[in-house]
Amino acid sequence: MTSRRRTLIYAGVVAAQVGALAYAARWAEDRAALGHTDPLGWRPFPWPFPPEPWPAGRAWTGDDHDVYVQLKPGLCGDCQTEVLSDEALDLAVDIRRLDPRFEPVGPGSRIRITDLFGRARTYRHKRRNGSFRYAEGVAFTYKCDLIVAIVDGNVSDPQKRKAGRDFLESNTPQVWLLKQLEGR
């Protein structure tokens, strides 16, 4: 093998290594910006929904669930009683982001997440692969700011629904929400 050809091969290998290191550094930077995986295995991922008038929320995946939490400042269902009607819950949670042809499974119910009261309702929606999945929409108010969450997983199973609600009460989304509410 000639010296020139050997030099070109080495240069190609070095360029591939530099490219791989740059990709790894970019991936690590993106992961660091999202945050760490919590002790229960819930991992953040980028907000998948298009921009809205409200700030982008936060999304996590874990335990066969995807959880989306968003703060909608100044948008309040009923600040006096902190309970939303099912129709207002449907609009606030905007389950249409998962499937425009969603179907409520039944009436909503009052829910408590930490010390906040709101309303939750289960929906059935079609996934991109054509299979059906259940999601729970949750909305509650804090000083006339609306906090909404979608727990997307098999929430028709009470154990799975409890796992999603337990995550909403865990430190990971609560710390994120408190940061969003700072100064409000």
Side-chain angles (χ1 to χ4, degrees):
M1 185 181 302
T2 66
S3 143
R4 181 180 172 136
R5 183 172 177 180
R6 191 175 319 159
T7 303
L8 287 174
I9 290 172
Y10 287 147
V13 169
V14 168
Q17 289 175 338
V18 168
L21 286 173
Y23 176 79
R26 176 67 181 169
W27 180 82
E29 184 178 320
D30 290 346
R31 292 296 308 151
L34 286 172
H36 66 285
T37 300
D38 78 351
L40 299 175
W42 290 87
R43 176 177 52 84
F45 65 96
W47 186 249
F49 304 117
E52 299 179 294
W54 303 283
R58 196 66 185 257
W60 292 271
T61 188
D63 194 31
D64 198 30
H65 288 76
D66 292 334
V67 176
Y68 311 97
V69 179
Q70 186 176 28
L71 174 67
K72 296 184 176 183
L75 184 64
C76 178
D78 185 349
C79 296
Q80 301 303 318
T81 62
E82 297 183 350
V83 175
L84 303 168
S85 68
D86 284 344
E87 294 77 27
L89 178 66
D90 293 345
L91 291 172
V93 171
D94 199 13
I95 202 83
R96 287 174 186 80
R97 294 186 260 190
L98 297 176
D99 177 14
R101 297 173 307 265
F102 71 94
E103 300 171 12
V105 174
S109 60
R110 189 174 166 128
I111 187 174
R112 180 178 180 174
I113 301 289
T114 63
D115 59 345
L116 300 174
F117 291 93
R119 194 157 187 84
R121 191 174 193 185
T122 303
Y123 303 91
R124 185 178 142 190
H125 68 93
K126 195 178 230 181
R127 300 177 72 184
R128 289 189 180 121
N129 66 5
S131 65
F132 285 99
R133 192 167 182 177
Y134 291 89
E136 183 175 50
V138 179
F140 44 97
T141 58
Y142 177 76
K143 295 184 180 178
C144 278
D145 289 333
L146 188 65
I147 301 167
V148 298
I150 299 173
V151 179
D152 187 25
N154 188 15
V155 297
S156 61
D157 176 7
Q159 296 255 345
K160 297 282 188 176
R161 181 181 301 136
K162 183 176 178 347
R165 288 182 180 180
D166 287 348
F167 175 70
L168 287 175
E169 290 192 20
S170 74
N171 203 29
T172 302
Q174 293 299 317
V175 167
W176 179 81
L177 272 172
L178 288 174
K179 286 181 182 178
Q180 301 303 304
L181 291 167
E182 279 180 1
R184 292 203 51 77

